Amino acid sequence: MENVLSQMKRLGISQAKLAEAIGKSRSTVNGWFIAEYEPKTLEAVKIAEALNTTVEYLVTGESTPQKSPIRTEFDRYIDRFSDDEITRAKGMLELAFPEKKHASHGGTAVS
């Protein structure tokens, strides 16, 4: 829960706000922090979404702490686009964000 707490502090979110965001009681959330019990998998997913990050980061601390909303939408819709559409989108991203480097995603560059 150390990474959850770190992300909560980064975003200025209290245990009460986190509980509200994921539909759990404050006492349940508090139980996770005092190691009384651990969140279930679905709860971990909801926590990651509420904290704008990934379950991987919350568990291991080894990923980008904040997942870009654009990346989230990109991941959701990438398979719907042709290679030509993806190439054009990449070009637009490079124009809009010339200083950013793009990582490969299935042969397609994304940020």
Side-chain angles (χ1 to χ4, degrees):
M1 294 302 292
E2 180 181 321
N3 294 325
V4 173
L5 185 58
S6 172
Q7 188 70 358
M8 287 171 61
K9 285 181 181 179
R10 186 174 302 136
L11 298 174
I13 295 176
S14 67
Q15 286 186 18
K17 288 288 184 187
L18 178 62
E20 182 182 327
I22 65 172
K24 293 292 176 182
S25 70
R26 189 181 180 293
S27 63
T28 295
V29 172
N30 187 55
W32 298 333
F33 283 96
I34 62 172
E36 192 172 302
Y37 39 85
E38 293 184 1
K40 296 176 182 164
T41 303
L42 184 56
E43 293 167 336
V45 170
K46 289 180 179 180
I47 293 167
E49 288 174 354
L51 297 177
N52 191 29
T53 192
T54 63
V55 173
E56 176 189 10
Y57 172 76
L58 296 179
V59 173
T60 68
E62 295 180 7
S63 72
T64 305
Q66 290 185 319
K67 190 173 179 183
S68 160
I70 293 171
R71 178 57 191 250
T72 300
E73 290 300 308
F74 180 88
D75 289 345
R76 188 181 312 180
Y77 294 107
I78 185 65
D79 294 332
R80 297 181 185 185
F81 297 104
S82 69
D83 288 341
D84 184 52
E85 290 169 320
I86 292 168
T87 300
R88 286 186 300 193
K90 176 187 170 199
M92 287 187 277
L93 284 171
E94 288 173 345
L95 286 173
F97 305 103
E99 72 284 354
K100 289 196 173 194
K101 300 213 184 282
H102 300 282
S104 179
H105 179 80
T108 305
V110 296
S111 62

